């Protein structure tokens, strides 16, 4: 049997070519994770800003709010609650709260129709809470079950004694935002109600045709008691956990400043940096921790794994291709010319 022999020049050329390909594969394996990791925490959804402690990407923000917000079609921010998923109309981080809209609530933008739906509610085990600035208005209630009457004058002096009172002559019944006098025109009864718990809302809606929520928003150019204006929506307050690690991560004096996040697997704090590395402290040079591979966000881990697989696969391919072509002199490889 004839064997084709390879000249030393051809062997050298093949060796250089394979080393060049291997270098390219290893470079790709190192560069791709760095490019992708810095773009994992989206800072907005549509026109709503998303900042710490909130997050719409797993591993971003605080773990207390994990999976509570979603960005539908990369354009509409929505809040998940036990009663449904609701669009978020606004977010404020200086006075931490979200404004949520409930499509089942009646507003002046559409004709009144009876809507029997579960009222908006929150999971009390989360860091979200219904704001005390919310007022609830119920329409066409069963007067055999609900006492629809003007609120006693004594409630102004002792409001704690009248929390469960239904006031048919309340300010909101007379001045619904955007449609003052609409109730009289529609011959609708009104009950302005300020309950202590969401259970009261559910109980009221069992005996009323519809409801709406009005929150009192700050009007910065006015003076008390006219510094708040009513608007449709549900104000949901949230807490901002203040931790030393997060402050250090955001501190631009310790590098470029990072984004506070967490490792989805362990829920441990991570400082997510723009250059792609993650740290348990800050984004200063040389402060990276051992979290490079598990970036705290699933996507980074996937990119690292794929890139590493490409690099390792290229190296194994190179080793397998070059070993059979290695020139041996005595028919059996010796310790001097084998690789392992």
């Amino acid at each position: 049997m004839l064997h084709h022999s390879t000249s030393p020049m051809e062997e050298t050329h093949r060796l250089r070519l394979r080393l060049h390909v291997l270098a390219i594969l290893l470079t790709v394996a190192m560069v791709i994770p760095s490019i992708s990791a810095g773009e994992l925490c989206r800072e907005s959804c549509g026109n709503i800003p998303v900042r710490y402690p909130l997050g719409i990407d797993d591993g971003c923000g605080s773990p207390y709010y994990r999976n509570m917000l979603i960005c539908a079609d990369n354009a509409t921010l929505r809040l998940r609650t036990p009663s449904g998923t609701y669009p978020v109309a606004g977010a404020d981080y200086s006075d931490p709260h979200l404004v949520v809209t409930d499509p089942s609530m009646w507003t002046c933008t559409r004709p009144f129709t009876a809507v029997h739906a579960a009222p908006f509610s929150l999971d009390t085990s989360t860091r979200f809470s219904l704001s005390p600035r919310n007022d609830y208005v119920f329409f066409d209630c069963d007067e055999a079950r609900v006492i629809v009457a003007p609120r006693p004058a004594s409630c102004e002096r002792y409001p704690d004694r009248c929390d469960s009172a239904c006031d048919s002559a309340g300010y909101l019944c007379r001045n619904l935002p955007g449609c003052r006098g609409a109730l009289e025109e529609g011959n609708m009864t009104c009950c302005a109600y300020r309950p202590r718990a969401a259970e009261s809302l559910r109980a009221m809606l069992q005996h009323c045709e519809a409801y709406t929520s009005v929150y009192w928003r700050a009007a910065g150019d006015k003076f008390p008691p006219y510094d708040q204006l009513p608007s449709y929506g549900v104000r949901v307050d949230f807490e901002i956990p203040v931790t030393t690690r997060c402050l250090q991560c955001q501190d631009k004096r310790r590098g470029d400043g990072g984004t506070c996040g967490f490792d989805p697997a362990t829920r441990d704090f991570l400082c997510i940096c723009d250059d792609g590395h993650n740290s348990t402290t800050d984004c200063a040079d040389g402060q990276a921790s051992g979290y490079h591979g598990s970036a705290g966000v699933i996507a980074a881990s996937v990119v690292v794994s794929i890139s590493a697989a490409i690099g390792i696969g290229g190296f194994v391919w190179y080793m397998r291709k070059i070993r059979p072509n290695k020139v041996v002199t005595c028919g059996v490889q010796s310790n001097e010319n084998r690789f392992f």
Side-chain angles (χ1 to χ4, degrees):
M1 182 180 292
L2 296 177
H3 296 276
H4 175 72
S5 60
T6 304
S7 67
M9 183 175 296
E10 290 176 345
E11 181 65 27
T12 301
H13 178 71
R14 290 183 181 180
L15 177 60
R16 288 177 178 175
L17 179 61
R18 290 163 183 164
L19 289 175
H20 180 68
V21 172
L22 179 60
I24 293 175
L25 291 171
L26 292 177
T27 301
V28 170
M30 292 183 292
V31 170
I32 290 179
S34 297
I35 294 174
S36 301
E39 301 174 354
L40 291 172
C41 292
R42 288 173 287 177
E43 298 180 350
S44 64
C45 179
N47 61 349
I48 307 296
V50 179
R51 305 173 190 163
Y52 181 85
L54 307 180
I56 52 179
D57 299 298
D58 201 13
C60 302
S62 168
Y64 293 130
Y65 300 98
R66 185 179 186 182
N67 298 327
M68 298 293 293
L69 291 170
I70 58 175
C71 187
D73 299 324
N74 207 32
T76 304
L77 187 64
R78 303 181 71 90
L79 174 66
R80 288 173 169 156
T81 79
S83 57
T85 304
Y86 302 91
V88 177
D92 191 326
Y93 295 87
S94 58
D95 178 17
H97 71 272
L98 301 175
V99 176
V100 178
T101 59
D102 182 355
S104 68
M105 291 181 180
W106 177 79
T107 66
C108 290
T109 59
R110 56 185 172 86
F112 176 80
T113 54
V115 178
H116 293 282
F120 178 87
S121 64
L122 288 173
D123 184 350
T124 56
S125 66
T126 68
R127 301 298 178 99
F128 286 115
S129 61
L130 287 173
S131 172
R133 296 189 186 182
N134 293 321
D135 277 336
Y136 303 92
V137 184
F138 295 85
F139 306 107
D140 287 351
C141 299
D142 182 356
E143 297 190 22
R145 302 293 187 91
V146 178
I147 300 176
V148 180
R151 194 171 184 175
S154 61
C155 291
E156 299 298 328
R157 297 182 58 187
Y158 307 103
D160 293 342
R161 301 179 185 179
C162 300
D163 277 351
S164 60
C166 176
D167 186 8
S168 63
Y171 176 84
L172 292 176
C173 283
R174 294 179 286 108
N175 300 277
L176 281 173
C179 55
R180 183 181 299 181
L183 299 181
E184 289 81 358
E185 296 176 5
N187 194 27
M188 298 160 54
T189 62
C190 175
C191 173
Y193 190 65
R194 185 178 296 178
R196 287 185 174 181
E199 287 74 11
S200 300
L201 294 178
R202 287 190 284 269
M204 284 290 293
L205 198 55
Q206 290 178 1
H207 309 300
C208 302
E209 290 297 319
Y211 86 115
T212 193
S213 173
V214 174
Y215 75 99
W216 295 87
R217 60 181 177 84
D221 57 342
K222 298 184 180 299
F223 299 95
Y226 308 104
D227 58 343
Q228 293 184 346
L229 298 174
S231 296
Y232 290 109
V234 183
R235 173 173 163 143
V236 177
D237 294 340
F238 61 88
E239 305 171 15
I240 298 182
V242 179
T243 64
T244 302
R245 289 183 297 181
C246 185
L247 293 176
Q248 289 177 347
C249 172
Q250 296 173 331
D251 191 353
K252 291 187 178 297
R253 295 173 299 178
R254 297 173 177 266
D256 295 331
T259 301
C260 300
F262 61 95
D263 187 327
T266 63
R267 297 172 66 92
D268 292 336
F269 174 81
L270 283 182
C271 184
I272 303 174
C273 305
D274 289 339
D275 62 2
H277 82 262
N278 300 305
S279 169
T280 55
T281 54
D282 53 59
C283 293
D285 293 338
Q287 296 296 323
S289 74
Y291 285 93
H292 291 260
S294 58
V297 186
I298 300 300
S301 300
V302 173
V303 172
V304 172
S305 300
I306 294 174
S307 303
I310 292 174
I312 294 173
F315 180 73
V316 171
W317 169 83
Y318 163 71
M319 296 302 297
R320 288 179 175 176
K321 292 292 289 184
I322 198 172
R323 285 184 65 180
N325 292 329
K326 184 68 178 179
V327 178
V328 292
T329 56
C330 301
V332 176
Q333 293 187 17
S334 67
N335 288 333
E336 286 77 22
N337 64 17
R338 75 174 43 153
F339 288 100
F340 303 104

